């Protein structure tokens, strides 16, 4: 009887315990209970083999792709402190089903998928690990990557005498990593975890940067604190500290320090700018050239202002194209400058009560709601909508414990009929979803009494107030019109597009989603390419472009994983349309009306919009500014769509 080897995936006679092809002995491998069993089939395509590595947030397996007949690596999201797995089972289960645990796990899962999307942008790039696919299964997510045959730089260093390496070979590797970092930095992405563990020395003499689990857009306001002692710069210990290319440069400098000295550098937060006790590389290895010593120390300066500000500056020094001053000398000059500075302390006394130099503070006192029982109706076709509303109601009760909110959901095909019956019987709900109804046919309160208070917190609402006043509808989500590109058919590197001809020729193919042809014609020349309304051609990978809106993002991602990109359309105004409208019923009880207004306003705060759009992976974008910024940090493709100063056309 023949059995399959789960290392090389060739068959051999079962009487042999050791694979005669590669020497793999399954009995000698230690397996944790939470590992997927060898031979497990994922997505009806990938056969799981031996474990290549594991940590606190994931497990990486060697696997066999049955479709293409080759070996791949599959990274499974598995957060040890939050989830577990019954031995022999595939499904991942939460250790605790608390709201906090569910939220933490969902955010981690989204970060895992985001890692895949980040790396997928650089498919076939020689210095960055390639991503072929990603998908969700077994209550977790998987990234399918090229299998890198070879060893990590960390393992290579451990095998070397004195745990260090030759300068020329070290620079050869560093230049390749610099090339990879320049590429991602150009796109505004920070790796944030450069270290010997995440640099692979491949058997084909390639050097690849991998593990983008900590990667973030440079301008992200919120960043998860991920630390690797010895390699992490001080600003990365704080999620609100300014980070940039210099953040990765510190880690790269620390990696060079380790490569050339055999020692891991001191922890950055234990170092002082003025009295740095960390030994310079040349003290540990006198063979290191002075210029290289200075370059490493400048890259690792505690104050990021003293570091190289971009990879190009570092490369110029490493190539000896420019000289670099020792950081210690730069710090000494900085001290002298402070010594000779003249410090003046001035006191200003403001006299007279009639002067206008006082600061005025405006504050809004929080309303105290009287006890009330209100009814909220919504379209219940999506179970996740019900869950989101229940989470929002729970938060609302924490603020207003004397209020009771009754939710009633109806399928879309019954919803208007139920509202008409409620109107005719005089039993209209105090708050209801109003997407599919004509507001003029229902008794609705005009929202001018409170919309002005929330418009500053939400994108575009202030520019469309008159419309909302007349319609009596408040949107809590929106979608923008975009182009989706099949990256295997189009060679276009931009993130925005003005003309279709910038991407494809007249022979190229473009599909348009239903009822969007007029909008397309208002933005592009309809004769610029071959246009079809058979959108399945795009989802099947047989068309170049798809014109649609952002509600199709997840459908495209699912159909063309790692093979699609969303392009923003260049225009003076963002072409969008609001969705998820809500209205306040005109009821006789003014206290209930006030409660309904407060709950609708509550649905527009950043936490509620997080429940409604980010966690649900809803087919819309949140209008709340903070929630949208958080959305963009999870799904970075949306970054170019909206800015504080952006205009919007609906």
């Amino acid at each position: 009887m023949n059995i399959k080897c789960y290392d090389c995936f060739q068959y051999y006679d079962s009487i042999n315990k050791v694979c005669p092809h590669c020497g793999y002995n399954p009995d000698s491998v230690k397996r944790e209970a939470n590992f997927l069993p060898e031979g497990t089939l994922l997505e009806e395509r990938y056969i799981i083999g031996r474990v290549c590595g594991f940590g606190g947030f994931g497990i990486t397996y060697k696997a066999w792709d049955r479709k293409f007949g080759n070996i791949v690596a599959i990274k499974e999201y598995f957060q040890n402190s939050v989830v577990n797995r019954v031995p022999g089972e595939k499904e991942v289960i939460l250790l605790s089903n608390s709201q906090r645990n569910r939220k933490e796990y969902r955010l981690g899962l989204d970060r895992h998928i985001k890692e895949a999307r980040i790396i997928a942008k650089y498919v076939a790039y020689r210095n960055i690990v390639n991503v072929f696919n990603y998908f969700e299964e077994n209550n977790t997510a998987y990234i399918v990557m090229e299998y890198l045959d070879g060893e990590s730089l960390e393992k290579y260093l451990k095998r070397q005498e004195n745990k260090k390496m030759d300068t020329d070979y070290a620079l050869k590797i560093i230049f390749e990593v610099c090339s990879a970092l320049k590429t991602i930095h150009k796109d505004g992405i920070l790796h944030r975890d450069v270290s010997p563990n995440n640099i692979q020395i491949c058997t084909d003499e390639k050097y690849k940067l991998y593990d983008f689990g900590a990667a973030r857009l440079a301008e992200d306001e919120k960043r998860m604190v991920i630390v690797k002692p010895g390699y992490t710069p001080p600003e990365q210990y704080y999620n609100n500290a300014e980070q940039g290319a210099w953040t990765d440069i510190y880690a790269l400098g620390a990696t060079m320090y380790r490569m050339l000295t055999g020692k891991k550098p001191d922890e950055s937060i234990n170092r002082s700018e003025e009295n740095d006790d960390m030994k310079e590389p040349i003290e540990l290895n006198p063979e290191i050239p002075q210029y290289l010593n200075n370059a490493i120390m400048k890259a690792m300066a505690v104050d990021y202002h003293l570091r190289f500000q971009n990879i190009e500056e570092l490369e110029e020094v490493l190539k000896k194209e420019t000289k670099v001053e020792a950081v210690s000398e730069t710090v000494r000059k900085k001290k002298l400058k402070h010594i000779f500075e003249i410090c003046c302390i001035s006191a200003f006394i403001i006299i007279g009560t009639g002067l206008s130099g006082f600061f005025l503070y405006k504050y809004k006192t929080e309303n105290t709601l009287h006890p009330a029982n209100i009814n909220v109706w919504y379209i219940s076709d999506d179970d996740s909508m019900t869950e989101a509303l229940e989470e929002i109601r729970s938060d609302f009760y924490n603020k207003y414990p004397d209020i009771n909110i009754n939710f009633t959901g109806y399928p879309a095909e019954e919803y208007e009929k139920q509202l008409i019956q409620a109107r005719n019987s005089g039993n209209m709900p105090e708050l209801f979803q109003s997407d599919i109804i004509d507001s003029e046919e229902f008794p609705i309160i005009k929202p001018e009494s409170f919309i002005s208070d929330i418009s500053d917190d939400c994108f575009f609402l202030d520019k469309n107030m008159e419309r909302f006043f007349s319609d009596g509808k408040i949107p809590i989500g929106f979608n923008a019109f975009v182009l989706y590109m099949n990256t295997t058919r189009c060679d276009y590197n931009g993130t925005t597009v003005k003309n279709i001809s910038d991407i494809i020729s007249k022979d190229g193919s473009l599909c348009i989603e239903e009822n969007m042809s007029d909008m397309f014609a208002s933005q592009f020349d309809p004769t610029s390419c071959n246009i079809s309304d058979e959108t399945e051609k795009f989802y099947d990978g047989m068309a170049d472009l798809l014109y649609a809106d952002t509600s199709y993002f997840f459908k495209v991602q699912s159909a063309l994983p790692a093979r699609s990109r969303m392009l923003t359309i260049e225009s003076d105004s963002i072409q969008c349309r609001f969705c998820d409208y809500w209205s306040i019923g005109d009821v006789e009880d003014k206290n209930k009306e006030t409660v309904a207004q407060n709950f609708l306003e509550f649905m527009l705060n950043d936490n509620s919009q997080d429940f409604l759009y980010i966690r649900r992976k809803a087919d819309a974008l949140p209008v709340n500014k903070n929630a949208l910024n958080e959305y963009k940090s999870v799904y970075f493709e949306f970054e170019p769509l909206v800015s504080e100063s952006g205009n919007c056309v609906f």
Side-chain angles (χ1 to χ4, degrees), residues 375 377 416 418-434 437-447 469-473 582-590 593 596-597:
N375 294 301
W377 287 14
E416 186 174 7
Q418 293 294 333
L419 277 175
I420 291 172
Q421 291 179 359
R423 179 199 62 192
N424 294 341
S425 63
N427 293 313
M428 282 289 292
E430 284 76 20
L431 180 64
F432 59 95
Q433 196 170 351
S434 52
I437 61 130
D438 184 349
S439 58
E440 293 182 359
E441 298 179 1
F442 292 87
I444 292 175
I445 293 292
K446 303 303 182 183
F469 290 167
S470 62
D471 291 350
K473 295 181 177 184
W582 289 77
S583 296
I584 298 169
D586 189 2
V587 295
E588 293 183 1
D589 191 323
K590 294 303 176 184
E593 178 186 316
Q597 289 181 353

Side-chain angles (χ1 to χ4, degrees), residues 390-402:
E390 288 174 351
E391 294 279 10
I392 295 169
R393 177 173 60 182
S394 177
D395 283 354
F396 190 78
Y397 284 170
N398 290 333
K399 189 175 183 181
Y400 302 110
D402 295 329

Side-chain angles (χ1 to χ4, degrees), residues 28-44:
S28 66
V29 178
K30 181 182 177 181
R31 295 184 181 85
E32 300 291 338
N34 51 22
F35 291 170
L36 283 172
E38 292 180 343
T40 298
L41 184 64
L42 297 180
E43 216 185 32
E44 299 298 321

